[in-house]
Amino acid sequence: MSAAHSDSQSVRGDTSPVDARRYASAILNILEDSAQEKAQLTRTQRAVLNILDDVAGEKNRLDGTQRAVLNILEDSAEEKTRLADTQRAVLNILDDFDIEKKKVEEVNLELRNEIEERARAEEALRHAKAVAEAASKELEAFSYSVAHDLRAPLRSIDGFSQALLEDCADRLDADGQRYLTHVRESAQQMGELIDDLLSLSRVTRTELRRERVDVTALVRSVLERLRESQPDRQVDQVVQDGLVAQADPRLLDVALTNLLGNAWKFTSKRTSARIEFAAKAGEHPPVYCVRDNGAGFDARYADKLFGVFQRLHAAHEFEGTGIGLATVRRIVTRHGGQVWAEGQVDQGATFYFTLEEGHP
Amino acid sequence: MTDKVILLVEDSQRDEELALRALRKNNIKNEVIVARDGVEALDYLFGTGTYASGHTTELPTVVLLDIKLPKIDGLEVLRRIRADERTKLLPVVILTSSKEDRDRLEGYASGANSYVRKPIEFSEFAEAVRQLGLYWLILNEPPPPADR
């Protein structure tokens, strides 16, 4: 529009100063407008550039993103490979584990077999033990029954012999009476034998029950019984005070009755008989000893002393069944102890015994 | 009232004869009733079976009881005697065959008042009677007025 204005001016040809000023200001305006236009253009250009810049940035970013994605994809591939590796490794481990497991199972099987075998062996042992126990019980019942039944006729033999001697003495001469006396003695001896055998077997089958036993008092009571059995005998008795043991009182009573009974019996021909009971000082386990000054024994036969039916003296010298010391040994053995003897003919005898395991 | 009786429970006739002889020899004149097995002994004591007719209502002074008996053995007889109100205080002397028997019985805590070894030796029997406080039985005197 300003161009059209300037065209109209130039057509007229003549310019006044006012018109010149007007022209100048118009031109200035135009220039000004143009400058503004230019500034706008520049701004636009800058904006475009900025946009382009931005686009480029975007592209860069996109590139970056793409690269990153590619990287990620790459990484993922690596990861996948690693995973595959790991998986393989795990599978290997599982394989190994399987092998290991099989091995363990084999070992387990072996162990189980061994355990089963052991259980079978134990079962067999238990069975054998039960059989042995049953057999032993049967044997006990048998021996008890036999002993019982053996006694019945013996009782009649002894009883009626006595009846004959007492009721019919006037019809028997001296020989007849003597014979009958022998019959009675023999019957009684057999009765003792049966009793002793039963006592020996009882020692084996009764349960061992340890408790605190006043050994000194027990020895004195046994000696008292012996004194009562033969009140006219003079025997010097020395019993150590304060002896105490952990033992089965009933079994110990039986053992002491046998040992002290022997001492009593084998000193019967002494004018000054002496029986001592003591524990050897300073021994562990304690060693008890029964010492007498009686007939003693031949040391060469010492090992025979403790056997059943073994006798070192003739029956007419000292009576006895030969079972007493076997019983003593069994009692001592059941306590885990030992028994042994020292002696010489006519020099007395000493019997030693312990009631616990271990060598004194 | 007559002398109180003694009940002898014994299956062996020979042992019975020896027992009766021992009692006679020692001036024990009480009547002796003999039972041959455990059943007979219980029948006598409780008035059952062959004794159901009311033949006796009086208890014996003492029972001499063998252990090995036909049908019902001595220990069972003793258990039944001790289990019954009428007889739980009745003196019972067990006749033992051996030392072994005695040990066995003591182990059972059988409730016997005393033990006498067969054949009955007077000294043993006298000791049993002494333990039981039955002096008059061997003193051969009439019993004190019946306390039962």
Side-chain angles (χ1 to χ4, degrees):
Chain A
M1 188 158 125
S2 55
H5 185 73
S6 94
D7 278 351
S8 72
Q9 294 290 326
S10 62
V11 168
R12 269 189 245 153
D14 299 329
T15 52
S16 65
V18 175
D19 286 336
R21 262 199 307 271
R22 219 184 281 149
Y23 287 136
S25 116
I27 286 165
L28 277 171
N29 280 342
I30 287 167
L31 283 174
E32 211 173 295
D33 285 355
S34 161
Q36 275 175 358
E37 209 67 32
K38 198 185 156 213
Q40 216 162 344
L41 262 175
T42 307
R43 269 201 302 281
T44 305
Q45 198 182 20
R46 234 192 333 266
V48 168
L49 280 174
N50 279 345
I51 287 169
L52 284 176
D53 253 0
D54 283 0
V55 166
E58 205 62 34
K59 200 188 153 223
N60 275 343
R61 251 206 305 284
L62 261 174
D63 279 353
T65 307
Q66 199 181 22
R67 244 195 323 277
V69 166
L70 283 173
N71 282 343
I72 288 171
L73 284 175
E74 231 172 88
D75 284 2
S76 155
E78 270 173 38
E79 205 61 35
K80 211 189 137 200
T81 316
R82 250 205 307 280
L83 260 176
D85 285 350
T86 307
Q87 200 180 23
R88 240 195 325 279
V90 167
L91 283 173
N92 283 342
I93 289 173
L94 283 175
D95 266 358
D96 285 1
F97 186 72
D98 259 2
I99 294 170
E100 209 60 32
K101 205 180 142 198
K102 269 193 198 113
K103 268 192 223 160
V104 167
E105 271 169 8
E106 273 167 30
V107 172
N108 270 349
L109 193 70
E110 265 172 48
L111 271 177
R112 241 198 314 278
N113 284 342
E114 205 167 303
I115 288 169
E116 270 169 27
E117 216 164 287
R118 214 171 277 188
R120 266 197 300 277
E122 267 169 35
E123 183 53 40
L125 259 180
R126 251 197 303 280
H127 182 69
K129 193 169 169 241
V131 168
E133 273 169 6
S136 139
K137 271 214 186 91
E138 223 165 281
L139 194 66
E140 281 159 25
F142 172 76
S143 56
Y144 174 76
S145 198
V146 164
H148 213 277
D149 293 349
L150 281 176
R151 278 196 147 277
L154 217 51
R155 214 159 40 231
S156 285
I157 294 169
D158 186 37
F160 287 108
S161 302
Q162 186 185 9
L164 264 180
L165 280 170
E166 287 175 6
D167 300 354
C168 314
D170 52 343
R171 274 166 282 168
L172 282 170
D173 62 12
D175 275 346
Q177 291 190 22
R178 193 163 51 83
Y179 298 156
L180 269 180
T181 307
H182 291 335
V183 170
R184 283 203 73 195
E185 279 169 2
S186 299
Q188 281 165 6
Q189 200 185 332
M190 190 164 159
E192 270 170 39
L193 208 56
I194 291 169
D195 276 346
D196 285 358
L197 275 177
L198 280 174
S199 162
L200 177 63
S201 79
R202 187 175 58 230
V203 165
T204 314
R205 63 184 193 259
T206 49
E207 199 186 331
L208 185 86
R209 284 198 205 130
R210 280 187 197 268
E211 53 185 83
R212 187 182 181 279
V213 180
D214 185 337
V215 180
T216 300
L218 187 54
V219 168
R220 289 201 172 119
S221 80
V222 171
L223 287 171
E224 181 58 34
R225 285 205 294 269
L226 291 167
R227 262 200 305 274
E228 280 170 9
S229 72
Q230 287 177 293
D232 45 337
R233 271 195 64 188
Q234 286 292 318
V235 178
D236 196 8
Q237 296 166 1
V238 184
V239 182
Q240 186 178 329
D241 281 317
L243 297 176
V244 173
Q246 284 290 324
D248 185 307
R250 281 181 63 124
L251 292 182
L252 188 56
D253 190 324
V254 174
L256 287 172
T257 301
N258 277 301
L259 287 172
L260 294 164
N262 277 348
W264 185 270
K265 180 165 74 187
F266 290 109
T267 51
S268 60
K269 290 172 185 167
R270 288 280 178 276
T271 43
S272 58
R274 181 183 168 88
I275 298 174
E276 282 174 65
F277 186 91
K280 277 168 92 178
E283 298 277 12
H284 191 83
V287 177
Y288 302 98
C289 51
V290 179
R291 179 173 288 119
D292 69 60
N293 63 347
F297 59 87
D298 189 333
R300 282 177 297 175
Y301 305 118
D303 57 327
K304 290 199 165 183
L305 278 173
F306 298 98
V308 182
F309 295 127
Q310 298 284 351
R311 305 197 65 238
L312 297 187
H313 297 275
H316 68 268
E317 282 184 297
F318 296 101
E319 59 183 19
T321 56
I323 300 174
L325 285 176
T327 305
V328 169
R329 182 167 64 178
R330 211 170 274 192
I331 290 170
V332 166
T333 307
R334 287 211 61 194
H335 280 84
Q338 291 162 285
V339 60
W340 65 99
E342 286 168 5
Q344 267 182 294
V345 174
D346 281 331
Q347 302 294 309
T350 306
F351 284 81
Y352 302 91
F353 66 96
T354 61
L355 294 169
E356 290 168 48
E357 272 172 48
H359 293 275
Chain B
M1 182 169 293
T2 55
D3 279 1
K4 286 191 175 179
V5 300
I6 293 171
L7 176 62
L8 173 65
V9 192
E10 172 64 78
D11 67 315
S12 154
Q13 288 193 11
R14 275 176 292 202
D15 280 353
E16 175 207 329
E17 194 180 336
L18 288 170
L20 292 179
R21 179 180 171 274
L23 297 177
R24 203 171 54 238
K25 284 291 262 187
N26 291 290
N27 268 337
I28 294 170
K29 302 242 168 79
N30 303 57
E31 187 191 350
V32 178
I33 306 284
V34 180
R36 290 263 167 251
D37 58 50
V39 174
E40 219 181 302
L42 291 170
D43 279 348
Y44 177 82
L45 290 171
F46 298 120
T48 51
T50 49
Y51 291 95
S53 57
H55 167 80
T56 178
T57 50
E58 202 182 353
L59 288 174
T61 311
V62 62
V63 179
L64 298 176
L65 183 62
D66 191 17
I67 309 163
K68 268 200 155 184
L69 290 172
K71 296 180 193 169
I72 297 179
D73 74 17
L75 285 182
E76 182 56 28
V77 170
L78 182 54
R79 253 191 299 278
R80 297 202 196 173
I81 287 173
R82 291 291 173 252
D84 196 287
E85 271 305 309
R86 292 167 286 175
T87 52
K88 67 175 184 187
L89 297 175
L90 184 64
V92 176
V93 177
I94 292 273
L95 299 176
T96 67
S97 189
S98 65
K99 283 190 260 176
E100 176 83 349
D101 276 344
R102 188 175 174 142
D103 288 341
R104 274 157 59 93
L105 290 165
E106 281 174 347
Y108 283 129
S110 59
N113 298 87
S114 192
Y115 304 86
V116 166
R117 192 159 168 177
K118 293 202 281 185
I120 303 174
E121 293 287 340
F122 179 68
S123 58
E124 272 190 56
F125 186 68
E127 173 61 19
V129 163
R130 189 189 64 73
Q131 278 175 19
L132 297 175
L134 302 173
Y135 297 105
W136 56 269
L137 187 66
I138 37 178
L139 291 175
N140 194 25
E141 285 171 3
D147 55 357
R148 193 181 278 112

